[in-house]
């Protein structure tokens, strides 16, 4: 038996990055990470019973199939499903739409296949779909522990600080559309195998995470921003060092970095972060958000500026579908 279910999950942006896997089959990360959950952009998943499987997933249907199969193994329920997943965040511009879509799918499956009383399983399924999806289950500033257990039992995520702890607006400079050329998983593997500075990135991760946690605890935007920017630059350095190299940034992405640093010189508390794509997200005190938005929109090559903020809530169920 299948119950109709709908779930929503927000996207998230990493301040301390997950990059590389300690176990590819279980999708366990090599580094612990810290992210900010978004308030508006995300994904919706809807599941209803069907006569035969129907899968309509924006993005990568292969990931969705992996999550659905894991839910079937968990519950033994193989009844056919009609699954729709839609993103309200542009797919594959580096805004981790796979995170919100896989978190929404895992949530919806937990109700459709009746395991919503087992949040650890929902988290495992979201993570199998996309590592960063586990963070989209939670609101505010979220920590995801890499853990060391071979079975992933200590690989958990939780809200480290609520969104109200440090209210921040987010403006995302979208610098190019179109799908990414290399998937995150493939890029991670290449970096792990060929980038000389990848090892140091993993080694430094516990100290970087601790520093970010302490900056957040102190509500210190300058320190937190310094860490997030350094992590982003290091990630893209590691990508460029890979063999063959992966350069995801566009000239306009680099121009955004210059504008952010000039805004900061003029006294606007803001910082950037970049995930695995050409778009650059800028975190800013809410009262300066409009100024940042206008400055980003004026950069040639910035095709769109998305407006959001750090959001209070993680993935949640929506009203039942008919
Ligand atoms: C750069 O979560 O997309 O955004 O587990 O292979 O699906 P898979 O990777 P994914 O990688 C996200 C990488 C990142 C950094 C981060 O979100 O921490």
């Amino acid at each position: 038996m299948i119950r109709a279910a709908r779930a929503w999950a927000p996207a998230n942006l990493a301040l301390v990055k997950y990059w590389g896997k300690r176990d590819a089959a279980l999708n366990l990360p090599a580094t612990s990470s810290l992210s900010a959950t978004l308030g508006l952009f995300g994904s919706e998943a809807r599941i209803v019973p069907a006569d035969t499987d129907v899968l309509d997933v924006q993005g990568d249907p292969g990931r969705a199939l992996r999550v659905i199969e894991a839910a079937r193994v968990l519950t033994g329920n193989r009844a056919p499903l009609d699954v729709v997943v839609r993103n309200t965040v542009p797919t594959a511009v580096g805004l981790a739409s796979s995170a919100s879509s896989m978190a929404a799918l895992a949530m919806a499956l937990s109700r459709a296949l009746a395991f919503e009383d087992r949040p650890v399983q929902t988290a495992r399924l979201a993570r199998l779909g996309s590592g960063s999806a586990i963070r989209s289950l939670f609101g505010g500033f979220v920590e995801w522990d890499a853990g060391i257990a071979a079975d992933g039992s200590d690989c958990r995520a939780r809200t480290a600080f609520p969104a109200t702890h440090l209210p921040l607006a987010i403006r995302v400079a979208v610098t190019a559309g179109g799908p990414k050329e290399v998937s995150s998983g493939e890029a991670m593997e290449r970096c792990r195998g060929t980038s000389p500075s990848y090892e140091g990135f993993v080694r430094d991760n516990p100290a970087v995470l601790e520093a970010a946690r302490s900056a957040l605890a102190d509500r210190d935007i300058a320190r937190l921003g310094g860490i997030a920017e350094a992590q982003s630059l290091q990630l893209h350095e590691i990508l460029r060092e890979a063999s063959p190299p992966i350069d995801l940034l566009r000239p306009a992405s680099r121009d955004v970095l210059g504008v952010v640093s000039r805004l900061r010189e003029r006294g606007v508390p803001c910082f950037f972060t970049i995930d695995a794509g050409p778009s650059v997200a800028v975190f800013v005190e809410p009262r300066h958000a409009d100024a940042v938005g206008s400055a980003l929109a004026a950069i040639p090559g910035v095709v769109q500026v998305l407006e959001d903020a750090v959001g209070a809530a993680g993935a949640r169920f929506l009203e039942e579908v008919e």
Side-chain angles (χ1 to χ4, degrees):
M1 208 227 22
I2 298 291
R3 287 195 290 170
R6 266 174 77 205
W8 162 263
N12 71 77
L13 291 164
L15 304 177
V16 176
K17 308 292 184 192
Y18 148 48
W19 196 249
K21 303 173 195 285
R22 68 178 174 89
D23 184 318
L26 299 181
N27 212 20
L28 300 173
T31 57
S32 297
S33 53
L34 174 79
S35 59
T37 291
L38 301 196
L40 297 175
F41 287 110
S43 306
E44 184 182 324
R46 192 222 60 176
I47 300 176
V48 289
D51 295 331
T52 168
D53 275 343
V54 182
L55 199 57
D56 176 5
V57 177
Q58 209 180 343
D60 177 355
R63 293 171 181 268
L65 280 172
R66 195 159 35 162
V67 178
I68 292 166
E69 179 56 25
R72 286 176 164 158
V73 169
L74 174 72
T75 59
N77 185 346
R78 294 194 165 270
L81 301 169
D82 181 333
V83 179
V84 178
V85 182
R86 289 278 174 270
N87 305 323
T88 64
V89 56
T91 303
V93 295
L95 282 187
S97 55
S98 64
S100 54
S101 60
M102 292 304 111
L105 176 61
M107 275 299 271
L109 282 166
S110 76
R111 177 161 283 179
L113 299 185
F115 60 94
E116 61 186 277
D117 56 339
R118 298 165 76 189
V120 170
Q121 294 301 335
T122 304
R124 183 176 64 85
L125 261 58
R127 191 195 74 219
L128 278 175
S130 183
S132 52
I134 195 172
R135 300 187 310 235
S136 283
L137 297 173
F138 304 90
F141 297 93
V142 178
E143 259 189 62
W144 177 26
D145 302 324
I148 49 168
D151 64 356
S153 53
D154 57 357
C155 179
R156 294 189 206 97
R158 70 197 164 278
T159 297
F161 296 93
T164 50
H165 174 78
L166 181 61
L168 287 173
I170 299 169
R171 293 294 177 270
V172 183
V174 178
T175 57
K180 280 188 274 181
E181 282 152 29
V182 191
S183 75
S184 286
E186 194 187 327
M188 284 179 193
E189 272 310 290
R190 197 185 298 174
C191 290
R192 202 169 61 89
T194 63
S195 297
S197 50
Y198 178 71
E199 209 182 303
F201 169 79
V202 174
R203 193 185 50 236
D204 293 346
N205 172 255
V208 172
L209 186 69
E210 179 53 40
R213 196 185 292 135
S214 139
L216 254 177
D218 295 345
R219 299 184 170 85
D220 189 329
I221 295 180
R223 253 164 62 216
L224 182 64
I227 294 163
E229 292 191 352
Q231 281 279 292
S232 302
L233 296 175
Q234 202 178 353
L235 167 66
H236 286 270
E237 179 68 30
I238 289 170
L239 282 160
R240 277 193 303 274
E241 276 178 8
S243 175
I246 304 167
D247 193 353
L248 298 173
L249 300 184
R250 306 275 182 275
S253 327
R254 297 179 213 282
D255 293 342
V256 172
L257 311 192
V259 166
V260 170
S261 111
R262 280 195 293 284
L263 282 164
R264 209 160 36 225
E265 279 159 27
R266 297 203 331 247
V268 177
C270 61
F271 63 88
F272 67 78
T273 184
I274 321 169
D275 282 334
S279 299
V280 183
V282 182
F283 286 67
V284 57
E285 276 187 9
R287 67 199 164 104
H288 293 292
D290 288 345
V292 168
S294 315
L296 297 181
I299 300 171
V302 170
V303 291
Q304 198 184 356
V305 177
L306 307 175
E307 301 188 358
D308 210 326
V310 181
R316 52 211 175 257
F317 294 113
L318 300 173
E319 291 307 306
E320 291 276 337
V321 282
E322 61 290 341

